[in-house]
Amino acid sequence: MKATQNPAIGVQVTPADLLRCAALYLRRHGWHQGTYYAPTTDTITPPACAAGAIGIATAGHRVEHFSQLDPDALANYLAAMAAFVDYLDDHAPVFHIDEDGYLLDEHTSPYSWNDDPARTAEQVITALDAAADEWDRLHNQRGEN
């Protein structure tokens, strides 16, 4: 069953669920920088960047063009990415300033954050798990305040 499919018992998949699944995917299959997935044809579960892992968690398979997801899956992917960006904005902001000193982007790009040459797989996995915990805390999904 895909993560985006609602089981008969009516359990809703949350952004936190997808972020945790993405972290688990990276633990099991490896982390990658520069593209969504490591260029390989010998496995259907290649190492992935953070965004690629969230895509796999959402769709249940490798996704090359996220715009091709069905509307529900795309909404789930975008919600998980937004939760990850919110976490990065609060805990690991990356600012891009132009030559005139103006801030180019007010949000941390998960792509440039993932692709930072100093970044490690453990940092990415930890951030995905922490973003999931923060989403749960903010949405009171685990009965905590």
Side-chain angles (χ1 to χ4, degrees):
M1 177 179 296
K2 292 181 188 175
T4 57
Q5 292 175 322
N6 292 329
I9 58 173
V11 174
Q12 191 70 20
V13 175
T14 69
D17 296 328
L18 295 175
L19 293 168
R20 285 190 186 93
C21 286
L24 179 61
Y25 181 89
L26 294 179
R27 279 186 195 95
R28 289 184 176 172
H29 303 288
W31 171 66
H32 180 68
Q33 289 181 297
T35 58
Y36 287 126
Y37 311 106
T40 180
T41 58
D42 62 344
T43 179
I44 60 170
T45 55
C49 73
I54 294 169
I56 287 175
T58 303
H61 56 81
R62 184 176 170 152
V63 179
E64 297 297 334
H65 301 286
F66 293 99
S67 62
Q68 294 174 343
L69 291 172
D70 68 67
D72 290 336
L74 181 58
N76 288 338
Y77 172 77
L78 293 174
M81 285 294 288
F84 191 49
V85 168
D86 287 346
Y87 174 82
L88 293 175
D89 282 348
D90 290 344
H91 301 282
V94 175
F95 300 105
H96 298 284
I97 308 295
D98 71 9
E99 62 274 356
D100 295 323
Y102 292 102
L103 185 64
L104 295 177
D105 191 1
E106 61 188 57
H107 296 291
T108 302
S109 165
Y111 310 103
S112 59
W113 181 85
N114 180 90
D115 293 347
D116 183 322
R119 188 75 50 229
T120 67
E122 192 54 39
Q123 289 172 327
V124 175
I125 291 166
T126 298
L128 288 165
D129 281 332
D133 291 345
E134 184 168 289
W135 191 94
D136 280 339
R137 183 182 57 77
L138 292 172
H139 296 86
N140 203 21
Q141 292 295 305
R142 302 234 183 234
E144 302 166 0
N145 290 324

